[in-house]
Amino acid sequence: MSGIYIHIPFCSKRCTYCDFYLITNLNLLDKFLDNLKKEISLSSDSYRQFQFDTIFFGGGTPSVLSHNQIEDILNHIYENFTISENPEITLESNPEDFLKKDIRDYYSAGINRLSLGVQSFRDSELKFLTRQHKAEEAKRIVKDAVNVFDNVSLDIIYSLPSQSISDIDHSLSRSIELGVNHISAYTLTYEERTVLYKSLQRDLVKKNPDGVEAKLYAFVSEKLMSNGYEHYEVSNFARNGYQSRHNLKYWNYDNYLGFGPSAHSFFNFTRWNNFRDIVKYNSSLEKGILPAEDKYKVTHDQKHLEFIMLSLRSGGIYFKKYQELFEDDFEQKFSGPTNELIKNELAQKDSEKFRLTEKGFALADEIIGKYF
């Protein structure tokens, strides 16, 4: 089945490390919602024969929307697309948005998976990351969320400058104690268009060396795995049955449609993206034209590289799927590299698939670049 991604490009404030497309002018919200529904309607005729089983509200901060606005978008999606029974419907959110809102209203609106951008349970780290909530506030909101939603995910950012193992352990331990079933643990990245990157260039902050980052990564993985979370993608951990069904579509090379400014789509091996500009996005849809650009069919070589990269960063390369996609035998074609990786304990294989070990996950990008 296929997935639907909705990009809500609004935030109350941009964090210093964030590189996603967003705006802070909430006056544009109503016009955007009208055009989002137009985009969904204009797109639907081409996908009537397909069934969708995941809907993911990302951003930006989708929780700036009211529960009524979320429900209105969902109703419009149901009117225009075929949605399976028991779909996974995720809302990315910031803890502070629920300080004055009732989290239960979003469950009633149709959300059944909540992803909270907590990032840390230490106030000093939250201040460095320019987050708008306090650690105790996040703890309270996560407790409320777990009482309402069976499926709650937390984002944690680590490898901050001068951060200790003890600091990371604190945030991970609080996440585990709160009973969430999914944790996304990301190393802090310094993207070129961010304030954080400019601070790095001015030598105002120091990025951790690769060796330090590798040790922190190993600690995070061991901590979460020893507490019952499966390491099912380089940065993602889940208790049994709680893997993100939507994000698995990206990693499994499945179809998905993206709506909203800057959203990306991948369907039947064709890729495209929407304008990364809400003014151009709105203008296009007001003329009845879909706001897509850079549309292209993935070549055989691109398909091969993307499939291997995504598979090795997650559950592994399934031999049957590789054969179906490329009419080739993976084990024969890559017998040399795979045997070397297995010998060095960077990978393992069974009768169904070849995948990286924990040691290999930490070097995934280097392995893919060198061997495939």
Side-chain angles (χ1 to χ4, degrees), residues 85-247:
E85 290 187 19
N86 303 314
E88 176 193 84
I89 305 178
T90 302
L91 182 79
E92 284 190 333
S93 48
N94 283 336
E96 67 269 19
D97 288 331
F98 296 118
L99 293 174
K100 295 181 179 179
K101 296 180 182 181
D102 191 333
I103 210 164
R104 292 170 294 185
D105 289 337
Y106 288 82
Y107 182 81
S108 299
I111 300 298
N112 57 31
R113 182 176 184 271
L114 196 67
S115 177
L116 287 161
V118 170
Q119 315 308 1
S120 172
F121 283 100
R122 287 215 183 279
D123 283 335
S124 59
E125 294 176 355
L126 291 170
K127 184 177 180 180
F128 172 80
L129 293 168
T130 62
R131 301 296 290 167
Q132 301 302 296
H133 62 270
K134 301 292 186 183
E136 279 302 312
E137 291 172 338
K139 187 176 177 181
R140 187 167 79 247
I141 295 304
V142 176
K143 281 184 177 179
D144 290 344
V146 170
N147 286 332
V148 175
F149 293 88
D150 174 55
N151 202 346
V152 176
S153 176
L154 298 189
D155 285 356
I156 297 293
I157 294 178
Y158 67 97
S159 194
L160 279 59
S162 303
Q163 188 181 41
S164 68
I165 289 286
S166 176
D167 292 327
I168 301 171
D169 187 51
H170 176 81
S171 289
L172 294 178
S173 294
R174 295 296 83 72
S175 302
I176 295 164
E177 290 164 6
L178 288 165
V180 300
N181 288 311
H182 189 283
I183 297 172
S184 297
Y186 302 107
T187 55
L188 180 64
T189 56
Y190 298 76
E191 304 293 346
E192 284 194 19
R193 289 180 286 197
T194 65
V195 173
L196 182 63
Y197 180 81
K198 292 174 184 175
S199 296
L200 181 69
Q201 295 298 97
R202 294 177 191 150
D203 214 24
L204 298 175
V205 296
K206 298 282 188 183
K207 186 180 186 299
N208 284 324
D210 291 345
V212 171
E213 201 155 270
K215 289 178 182 177
L216 299 180
Y217 180 86
F219 173 79
V220 170
S221 300
E222 173 58 28
K223 172 79 175 182
L224 293 175
M225 290 173 63
S226 65
N227 280 278
Y229 294 85
E230 176 195 354
H231 193 180
Y232 75 101
E233 192 272 339
V234 167
S235 301
N236 286 272
F237 303 79
R239 296 198 185 280
N240 187 38
Y242 289 94
Q243 295 90 343
S244 169
R245 286 162 52 190
H246 183 82
N247 286 340

Side-chain angles (χ1 to χ4, degrees), residues 16-82:
T16 56
Y17 60 87
C18 180
D19 185 43
F20 292 115
Y21 176 70
L22 63 88
I23 58 173
T24 56
N25 182 4
L26 299 181
N27 292 325
L28 296 173
L29 185 54
D30 289 340
K31 180 185 280 191
F32 160 73
L33 291 175
D34 287 341
N35 285 314
L36 175 65
K37 289 165 69 175
K38 285 181 185 177
E39 183 188 7
I40 291 167
S41 300
L42 285 171
S43 301
S44 61
D45 282 347
S46 300
Y47 302 97
R48 295 289 185 190
Q49 71 272 38
F50 296 96
Q51 195 169 44
F52 297 78
D53 68 341
T54 66
I55 302 170
F56 193 105
F57 288 87
T61 309
S63 52
V64 301
L65 301 186
S66 70
H67 64 279
N68 289 325
Q69 289 168 325
I70 292 291
E71 185 173 25
D72 186 48
I73 296 169
L74 284 175
N75 287 340
H76 196 69
I77 291 171
Y78 272 85
E79 288 167 7
N80 284 274
F81 289 92
T82 302

